[in-house]
Amino acid sequence: MAYELPPLPYDYAALEPYIDAETMRLHHDKHHQAYINNVNAALANHPHLAALSVDDLLRDLNKVPEDIRTTVRNNAGGHSNHSGFWKWMGPPNTPSIGREPTGAIANQIATDFGDFESFKKTFNDAAAKQFGSGWGWVVLIDGKLKVVTTPNQDSPLSQGLFPIFGNDVWEHAYYLKYQNRRPEYLAAWWNVVNWDEVNRRFATAKG
Ligand code: MN3
């Protein structure tokens, strides 16, 4: 069963003014679709691997034959990362989107970072410093929230970590609107974080 592009759970323009419609259209319809096409092509002759969920594939890349491992790491990673990304964002100025975190994640942020501002600063600093393309992530390590980054489309799943949420700092995620101003994009992005979805994933991370 080949992987398929999940529909965006909102309109292309829904994240305006923080993320523009044209960026969303290209990012979802072209970039995400390309990762899916590439991983499907790589797995075309490996039905036992293609039968796995994309996340299970990423949890153990050693089971992927060496000649396609880098292609799978990059493109299955791209598929998994973006599938989560669309869902942990949502239209600003609607309940549980943007503003302050809610629920269990709010308490965990307060415990581990003191307050939301310190947490955001830690995340934004790490993501701003990620050299070239990559992602900033929030994961749980030994019961504490940690901010980590990965290069390219590497998934935290391949390091045994569950990505609670994260932000895409590839230029394709922000260049049309923010050009080279990655820190401005990072600051604006918090306005579209879907805290209900983050709380669902936080519960999964806790197991
Ligand atoms: Mn992207």
Side-chain angles (χ1 to χ4, degrees):
M1 180 67 188
Y3 299 122
E4 290 178 6
L5 184 66
L8 264 191
Y10 36 73
D11 293 340
Y12 296 111
L15 308 186
E16 297 263 12
Y18 305 107
I19 303 182
D20 60 286
E22 188 58 13
T23 294
M24 289 301 291
R25 190 181 298 277
L26 289 166
H27 200 176
H28 177 267
D29 294 7
K30 304 297 181 189
H31 291 281
H32 190 171
Q33 183 68 62
Y35 298 124
I36 291 169
N37 295 347
N38 291 338
V39 68
N40 284 341
L43 296 180
N45 297 320
H46 302 274
H48 63 292
L49 294 175
L52 298 172
S53 75
V54 70
D55 286 1
D56 281 344
L57 192 58
L58 291 164
R59 283 187 177 100
D60 182 12
L61 286 168
N62 287 324
K63 62 182 174 288
V64 177
E66 214 171 344
D67 62 319
I68 58 167
R69 193 175 298 153
T70 300
T71 301
V72 168
R73 174 179 177 164
N74 290 338
N75 292 282
H79 178 28
S80 171
N81 294 341
H82 290 85
S83 295
F85 188 56
W86 313 131
K87 286 165 66 172
W88 62 66
M89 299 191 293
N93 304 312
T94 56
S96 296
I97 311 282
R99 293 186 279 269
E100 299 278 318
T102 59
I105 195 77
N107 297 333
Q108 193 74 40
I109 287 169
T111 300
D112 295 337
F113 291 87
D115 56 46
F116 184 43
E117 286 307 312
S118 305
F119 170 70
K120 279 198 291 190
K121 184 177 184 340
T122 301
F123 184 96
N124 290 351
D125 286 352
K129 282 187 201 131
Q130 169 59 37
F131 183 75
S133 298
W135 290 72
W137 299 105
V138 179
V139 298
L140 202 55
I141 300 176
D142 297 331
K144 285 183 180 300
L145 289 181
K146 299 282 184 192
V147 170
V148 298
T149 60
T150 60
N152 308 312
Q153 292 294 351
D154 287 2
S155 168
L157 292 167
S158 304
Q159 302 168 31
L161 299 170
F162 183 80
I164 298 170
F165 70 118
N167 195 359
D168 185 345
V169 296
W170 283 59
E171 285 186 344
H172 69 219
Y174 62 86
Y175 205 84
L176 289 182
K177 182 175 176 72
Y178 297 96
Q179 290 84 46
N180 60 320
R181 304 185 305 279
R182 188 192 286 184
E184 208 175 293
Y185 160 70
L186 287 164
W189 178 75
W190 294 96
N191 290 291
V192 297
V193 173
N194 180 339
W195 295 110
D196 283 347
E197 176 67 8
V198 169
N199 271 303
R200 268 190 287 279
R201 295 179 66 96
F202 180 46
T204 302
K206 284 192 290 187

